[in-house]
Amino acid sequence: MCASPLSIFRDGPPPPKVVLLPAALFFTRSIPVNPDPGAEADRRRQAAAQVELALEGLAPFPLAQLNYGFFWTEGAPAALAFAAYRRRFTAEQAAAWEGAELVIPAFAALLHASVAPATTVVLAAPEGFTAIYWDGAAVPSRVVHRPVAEDATDEDRAAAREALLRQFESKRVIDVTEPIVIAAGSADGHFVARGGGLESPFNAAEAAALDVRAKDELAVLRRARRRDVVLWRTAVACIIAFGVFALGELALIGGGLWQRTRAVRIRAQAPTVARISGLSDIANRINDLRTKRLLPIEMISLVGFAPVKPDAVYFLQAQASKDKLYTINFRAQTDNAAEIPVYRNAIEQLPQVAPDGVDIQTDNARAQMAQFRATVTFKPGSVKFAPGATPPS
Amino acid sequence: MSTLRALFLARPAREKFLILALLVAVVVIWGSNLLGRAQAFASEAKSTSTELKDQALWISRKDRIEKYAEQEAANLDQSQTLDALRLTSTVQNLVQEAGLTQINISPSQDTSAGNFAFHTIMLSVQRASWDQIVKLCGELQDRAPYIGIDNFSLLASPPGSDSLNANLNISSVEIVRTPE
């Protein structure tokens, strides 16, 4: 049966997939490290190199055939290294590591627990007991495993535990009998292990150093993890965009309501505005009737008869409009094209004509015959109403 | 969010890509749709603002325009203003006095606001002489500012002859009732 979708959020994030390997498979050593001063990442790289160098000297197998890791915190004088021969893990076991965020020995989960000096933490497991001993530094100095037989009695198990503890001068012993629980930390790649009332937090670099998988395989995993983080951030950006879009939708809904009230206002004011603008238009037209009179006959009379107009020029059409109160347009033809510039010059000489007020375009010229269009602009107020204007020839 | 993050990161790679592709597709489709509607809204809001500003300007000028119209009306004698019928009949009389016979007068186009109205007719004259046109225009000009010529065009028909066709747009103003 499927869980309710809400229960996913109620239960919080699922725990990270961490594989805890049996301690019996690993040998452990405390290895002094002394990285040069510098950035933390550089110092961690140097510590890793020193650990690997020491492991090469200690182990009977080359590093490539080992599953190894180490625990070291900044400032500690030694690291605790652990390694196991790769062939001690079956193919099925190795296959189970796929997709795991961390593969570490079970005891490694508590290596960063905060304990008093000379404390021994004893991890109880069906196959035996593992003791982690801190002499005073942040990094444990020894980890010892003592196996017990599968059919061992409680007395046998108690005796084995006592024998194990005799190897250390412990002031305090903490027994961890329940399974260790590992949760994701506050930041990306951080983990927190809890067991026996202890809490052991690891940052991303420490956790990566603990992982015993092959280092090239880990590099691939790290790249995949970085890619996944990019994918997640892109997904978060999309989710943020959804939020922004939702706000945009709300703004559009609000804006639509605002716009509707403004449209109602426009409709309500429209008759008043139409009345005022109509009144303004009519008042202007009354003013135009009174002060701006179109005088087409007078303008034609000025340019359309002798001595301005040559005898050889005949008017075909004339037009005037109130839009251009002081302009007359006309079309004319002549059987002597040479008269056109003479005619133009004569019009330009008229005192009523505005400077550059004559424009003549020849449309059609064949031999001496020519048709032309003329636009003549007069100075404002220079053309006066003159009843009985002289007709053009 | 940390729950979602853990759930997302726990998915196989192909599911992560699929989820992301879906999210991006929704963002693109929704975003472009929203952008289009936002642009349409902005354009409509701008146009409404302009119209409201325009209306506010007209309304703010209401008193001034009414006063201006009253001043213009004060320059006119209401009894001499012409409604559409009087305009048409007056033009017909002037045409007859000018001796023009081949004419056509279009129906009046009227616009009105407040106490005023404007009437415009189009007079078409065929086969007229220059003297007749001059006489007609002179008579029309004598009736200014109650009658005015808005447009005038003259055509020699046939070209080069003394026979003229003319078209005139003639307007008149009418004071419907005396402004109080």
Side-chain angles (χ1 to χ4, degrees):
Chain A
M1 200 159 90
C2 289
S4 154
L6 280 178
S7 70
I8 294 170
F9 296 96
R10 210 169 32 238
D11 298 343
K17 188 182 174 187
V18 177
V19 177
L20 297 179
L21 301 171
L25 299 176
F26 289 88
F27 73 90
T28 61
R29 289 288 184 281
S30 179
I31 297 169
V33 291
N34 185 22
D36 296 331
E40 190 187 339
D42 293 337
R43 290 166 60 75
R44 182 159 287 283
R45 262 194 297 275
Q46 285 180 38
Q50 290 171 16
V51 168
E52 285 177 354
L53 195 64
L55 277 178
E56 274 179 335
L58 287 167
F61 307 105
L63 278 183
Q65 293 181 26
L66 294 177
N67 285 107
Y68 66 92
F70 69 94
F71 174 62
W72 179 75
T73 59
E74 182 62 43
L80 185 84
F82 38 87
Y85 184 42
R86 188 160 291 175
R87 289 192 182 169
R88 298 187 76 178
F89 298 101
T90 62
E92 290 75 24
Q93 279 177 313
W97 302 353
E98 195 178 333
E101 292 183 47
L102 208 56
V103 179
I104 56 173
F107 63 80
L110 293 178
L111 291 180
H112 204 192
S114 180
V115 293
T119 297
T120 304
V121 172
V122 180
L123 307 179
E127 70 275 11
F129 294 94
T130 306
I132 310 168
Y133 177 74
W134 281 264
D135 57 6
V139 176
S141 53
R142 287 178 70 194
V143 174
V144 179
H145 178 74
R146 187 173 182 91
V148 291
E150 279 183 23
D151 54 353
T153 61
D154 287 349
E155 289 77 23
D156 294 338
R157 289 183 65 84
R161 178 181 173 278
E162 287 305 318
L164 183 64
L165 283 173
R166 276 197 291 277
Q167 297 181 41
F168 309 104
E169 290 178 1
S170 309
K171 288 182 181 169
R172 190 180 173 209
V173 175
I174 300 170
D175 283 292
V176 180
T177 51
E178 73 279 18
I180 296 167
V181 177
I182 298 183
S186 56
D188 192 32
H190 290 219
F191 296 92
V192 181
R194 293 184 182 91
L198 298 171
E199 191 168 282
S200 173
F202 298 99
N203 64 29
E206 288 165 351
L210 290 177
D211 205 311
V212 297
R213 281 175 287 191
K215 301 310 169 196
D216 52 349
E217 189 185 330
L218 281 176
V220 171
L221 281 174
R222 271 197 291 274
R223 277 199 296 276
R225 215 165 283 162
R226 278 199 293 271
R227 179 206 64 201
D228 287 352
V229 169
V230 170
L231 292 180
W232 167 247
R233 284 178 185 164
T234 311
V236 169
C238 289
I239 291 166
I240 291 170
F242 291 160
V244 172
F245 292 167
L247 287 176
E249 293 288 356
L250 287 175
L252 277 183
I253 291 169
L257 292 172
W258 172 65
Q259 183 65 9
R260 216 168 293 161
T261 59
R262 299 205 307 163
V264 167
R265 206 167 119 208
I266 285 176
R267 278 198 296 275
Q269 289 182 164
T272 307
V273 171
R275 197 184 68 78
I276 298 168
S277 66
L279 194 62
S280 170
D281 184 42
I282 283 189
N284 284 333
R285 288 180 73 178
I286 294 171
N287 183 271
D288 287 352
L289 277 177
R290 202 164 49 79
T291 60
K292 296 174 184 171
R293 291 164 68 182
L294 182 66
L295 300 169
I297 299 297
E298 288 73 8
M299 289 192 285
I300 293 171
S301 298
L302 278 170
V303 298
F305 69 96
V308 176
K309 184 178 79 62
D311 289 342
V313 172
Y314 301 92
F315 269 45
L316 302 174
Q317 197 176 359
Q319 189 270 331
S321 165
K322 221 166 190 178
D323 299 335
K324 290 185 174 177
L325 204 61
Y326 305 109
T327 300
I328 183 88
N329 301 292
F330 61 88
R331 204 155 59 80
Q333 74 175 33
T334 177
D335 50 12
N336 181 5
E339 295 280 19
I340 295 174
V342 176
Y343 185 30
R344 178 193 182 104
N345 188 47
I347 295 172
E348 284 174 341
Q349 296 303 314
L350 287 170
Q352 294 92 338
V353 172
D356 299 324
V358 183
D359 179 34
I360 294 181
Q361 304 282 329
T362 303
D363 285 336
N364 189 5
R366 263 178 292 174
Q368 286 300 303
M369 289 284 289
Q371 278 196 6
F372 60 93
R373 283 177 292 123
T375 300
V376 179
T377 304
F378 296 89
K379 294 173 188 166
S382 63
V383 180
K384 305 291 183 193
F385 174 49
T390 309
S393 58
Chain B
M1 194 56 102
S2 59
T3 304
L4 276 180
R5 182 182 190 277
L7 286 171
F8 180 83
L9 293 177
R11 299 290 91 206
R14 68 171 178 279
E15 286 185 23
K16 288 188 196 111
F17 279 112
L18 192 63
I19 290 168
L20 196 62
L22 281 171
L23 289 174
V24 169
V26 172
V27 165
V28 169
I29 293 167
W30 189 4
S32 58
N33 178 274
L34 183 66
L35 186 67
R37 283 182 292 132
Q39 282 173 337
F41 172 77
S43 164
E44 195 185 338
K46 191 178 171 188
S47 143
T48 306
S49 296
T50 307
E51 197 168 343
L52 274 172
K53 209 177 283 181
D54 198 36
Q55 283 192 338
L57 195 66
W58 278 113
I59 290 168
S60 72
R61 289 178 178 172
K62 180 173 175 271
D63 292 343
R64 208 163 56 180
I65 288 169
E66 282 176 347
K67 197 174 172 188
Y68 172 53
E70 281 170 20
Q71 282 171 352
E72 287 300 325
N75 292 318
L76 300 174
D77 177 357
Q78 188 190 358
S79 64
Q80 289 195 56
T81 63
L82 297 95
D83 60 16
L85 204 61
R86 282 185 67 193
L87 172 65
T88 306
S89 64
T90 302
V91 170
Q92 272 174 339
N93 288 340
L94 295 179
V95 161
Q96 280 173 7
E97 282 172 23
L100 296 163
T101 52
Q102 295 191 40
I103 61 141
N104 182 50
I105 299 175
S106 72
S108 163
Q109 288 184 344
D110 309 318
T111 52
S112 63
N115 300 317
F116 307 98
F118 244 88
H119 311 286
T120 303
I121 57 168
M122 185 173 165
L123 169 66
S124 300
V125 178
Q126 277 87 40
R127 298 182 185 283
S129 68
W130 171 253
D131 288 341
Q132 287 172 317
I133 299 291
V134 169
K135 184 172 170 54
L136 173 66
C137 289
E139 293 294 337
L140 287 170
Q141 298 287 10
D142 281 342
R143 279 154 182 78
Y146 302 97
I147 292 181
I149 300 170
D150 292 340
N151 276 298
F152 175 89
S153 68
L154 197 62
L155 182 71
S157 177
S161 72
D162 290 338
S163 175
L164 303 170
N165 293 346
N167 287 315
L168 292 88
N169 279 11
I170 301 164
S171 296
S172 75
V173 64
E174 176 193 5
I175 298 176
V176 181
R177 60 185 173 84
T178 310
E180 291 168 6

